[in-house]
Amino acid sequence: QKEVEQDPGPLSVPEGAIVSLNCTYSNSAFQYFMWYRQYSRKGPELLMYTYSSGNKEDGRFTAQVDKSSKYISLFIRDSQPSDSATYLCAMSVQGGSEKLVFGKGTKLTVNP
Amino acid sequence: NAGVTQTPKFQVLKTGQSMTLQCAQDMNHNSMYWYRQDPGMGLRLIYYSASEGTTDKGEVPNGYNVSRLNKREFSLRLESAAPSQTSVYFCASSYRAGGPYNEQFFGPGTRLTVL
């Protein structure tokens, strides 16, 4: 079992839809959770950063962590064509020099 | 504040040629990373430098070498390029390697083709 699993999609939705992107993980020591957005032919950019369980909201984006289920989600409300990108989850343990573990990414297309 | 910069943006090599990819960051970060990204494979860590003066192998180090020149710069060298090294290469940096403050910031990438 891979440490981080992410459905590659592709996911296609109409403009204005609510999008749910998800990752599951196996390492219960993960404490820090991130979502990156990567536009085509660009580098990944950090979108959301959360610590431990709970929700974090930033505009149309909400990151949710459920440590009991080892499951994290990114919700996008009122999706826009400009949200079309690949979304990667990433996570790491507390302290030490443990590096980020990335999911392989989910490709999202928002159709006008 | 440029963030993470990479040069060159594009490169075409012949099998057996060598080249160095350059990366620099101006965020006063301690840790720097080199990844390659291939379709269906996601981001794979090649080498990283947790702090100035240290480097360590990642998931796919074979065929590559790195140099942490100073706190700002981290270069990746291909000594004898092979077609299997055709990929998009990303440099990233973070304040530290482990959590907290370990979120990584990425450069724009170098597209490398080896013929």
Side-chain angles (χ1 to χ4, degrees), chain B residues 18-85:
Chain B
S18 62
M19 78 162 295
T20 300
L21 282 67
Q22 306 286 357
C23 174
Q25 53 89 11
D26 62 1
M27 295 176 281
N28 199 34
H29 284 169
N30 296 298
S31 304
M32 298 185 74
Y33 313 81
W34 277 106
Y35 292 90
R36 59 178 289 173
Q37 188 175 43
D38 303 288
M41 302 295 290
L43 285 166
R44 291 185 291 171
L45 184 65
I46 304 171
Y47 270 95
Y48 70 102
S49 171
S51 60
E52 188 179 354
T54 69
T55 59
D56 284 288
K57 295 178 180 179
E59 183 184 354
V60 288
N62 291 346
Y64 304 95
N65 285 301
V66 290
S67 295
R68 183 74 181 266
L69 304 170
N70 48 56
K71 190 172 184 179
R72 291 186 63 248
E73 298 172 290
F74 189 38
S75 63
L76 178 72
R77 183 160 177 84
L78 286 71
E79 290 291 352
S80 178
S84 61
Q85 294 178 305

Side-chain angles (χ1 to χ4, degrees), chain B residues 92-103:
Chain B
S93 71
S94 64
Y95 180 72
R96 49 176 292 180
Y101 310 116
N102 64 333
E103 59 268 43

Side-chain angles (χ1 to χ4, degrees), chain A residues 4-6 23 87-91 101-106, chain B residues 41-43:
Chain A
V4 178
E5 301 270 11
Q6 185 175 11
C23 288
Y87 290 81
L88 300 96
C89 62
M91 47 199 79
V101 179
F102 284 88
K104 291 189 176 180
T106 300
Chain B
M41 302 295 290
L43 285 166

